[in-house]
Amino acid sequence: MGLKAWGRGLRTRKGQRRFVQAVAGVCTVALLPAVWVQLAGGGRVRDLSDVPAAPVGVVFGAGLTPAGHPSPYLAHRLDTALALYRAGKVRVLLVTGDNSRTTYDEPGAMRTYLVAHGVPATRVVVDDAGFDTWDSCSRAKRVFGVDRAILVSQDFHIRRALALCEAAGLSVYGVGVDEPHDRTWYAGGARELLAAGKAAVDATLHPAPRFLGPKEPGVTRALEAPAG
C-alpha cells in the first residue's frame, strides 16, 4: 500500500480502528519483557531488616567519577553492601564491574571503598569482567561458583538483576537502594524499559559472557578466610 493510499485509509472509521489496534499490539509486545522482569524479580526484593542471610553479597557497578572514585549511585550501593556485611547478612562481598581498560577500574574502586570503610580485604572479591548485568550474574555462577547471594542495586534495576541471576542459576534476594526521584533516577528507569528486551533474550538463550575465563576460587577462599 502506498503512502497516499495508507493516508486515505486512516480517514475511514475502519482504517482508524485498525491503526489503533496495530499501535496497541506493538506497544503490548514491546512492554512484555518489562512485565516479565517485574514479575520474575519483584517477589524477592526485601529491606535490609528482613532479607534472608546469604554467603555472598553481589554489588553491581554504576560508574566512576572523573577522579576514579565511585559515582554517587555506586557509593550508595556500596553503603548498602556495608550495612549488609555489618549486620551479618553476608560474609563476602563480590564487586562486579568494568575493568576493560587500564584507565577505568570500576571493581577496583569498589573494593578500595569497601576496605576503606572497614570491610576486611580478605572478604572482598573482585570481578573485573562484569560488563553488563547478565555477564555479572553468569560469571558469579560459572566463574566464582556462587549459588546463593543477596544482590545490591538501585530500586529501578534490582528486579532485572534478580531475574537475570535466577536465570543464570543463582538463588537470590535483592535489596533495592532508594534514591530521590531526580533526573538521574528517571533516566535509569527509562533505560530499564529498553534493557528488559535484552534481559529476556539473555534469560532465554543463556549466552556466554563477553569474557568467561577460567574458574576462580576467590569467593571460596574468602568464605574460608578469617574475618579479621
Side-chain angles (χ1 to χ4, degrees):
M1 179 185 293
L3 186 60
K4 289 184 178 179
W6 181 77
R8 287 196 299 271
L10 285 180
R11 297 192 187 104
T12 68
R13 186 170 298 177
K14 183 177 181 180
Q16 292 169 355
R17 184 168 61 249
R18 286 180 175 176
F19 176 74
V20 170
Q21 290 172 343
V23 171
V26 170
C27 291
T28 299
V29 171
L31 289 174
L32 281 177
V35 173
W36 165 75
V37 165
Q38 293 298 315
L39 293 176
R44 291 181 173 264
V45 179
R46 301 293 174 87
D47 294 326
L48 178 66
S49 61
D50 67 357
V51 67
V56 181
V58 179
V59 190
F60 297 87
L64 302 178
T65 67
H69 303 302
S71 67
Y73 267 41
L74 181 51
H76 297 165
R77 295 183 187 186
L78 294 168
D79 290 339
T80 300
L82 281 166
L84 285 169
Y85 181 82
R86 290 168 179 165
K89 296 285 188 174
V90 297
R91 294 157 51 204
V92 169
L93 294 170
L94 174 63
V95 293
T96 174
D98 185 355
N99 184 207
S100 58
R101 54 193 188 277
T102 57
T103 57
Y104 189 86
D105 185 1
E106 193 173 37
M110 295 162 74
R111 183 180 187 275
T112 298
Y113 186 99
L114 290 169
V115 173
H117 286 78
V119 180
T122 55
R123 295 291 184 174
V124 183
V125 180
V126 168
D127 174 14
D128 287 315
F131 300 125
D132 61 20
T133 304
W134 172 254
D135 281 12
S136 293
C137 292
S138 183
R139 282 176 54 82
K141 176 69 174 181
R142 298 172 63 177
V143 175
F144 293 94
V146 177
D147 293 315
R148 292 191 300 120
I150 298 174
L151 312 183
V152 179
S153 188
Q154 263 69 31
D155 53 3
F156 56 74
H157 172 247
I158 193 65
R159 290 168 180 79
R160 179 163 62 92
L162 284 163
L164 286 174
C165 279
E166 288 187 342
L170 285 77
S171 175
V172 288
Y173 284 88
V175 175
V177 181
D178 196 17
E179 298 283 355
H181 289 192
D182 56 11
R183 183 181 303 176
T184 303
W185 189 92
Y186 283 111
R191 180 180 178 275
E192 286 303 304
L193 290 176
L194 300 175
K198 179 182 182 300
V201 172
D202 289 339
T204 301
L205 301 181
H206 288 207
R210 195 182 316 175
F211 179 78
L212 182 59
K215 291 184 180 296
E216 297 185 17
V219 169
T220 301
R221 290 177 179 171
L223 288 170
E224 295 172 348

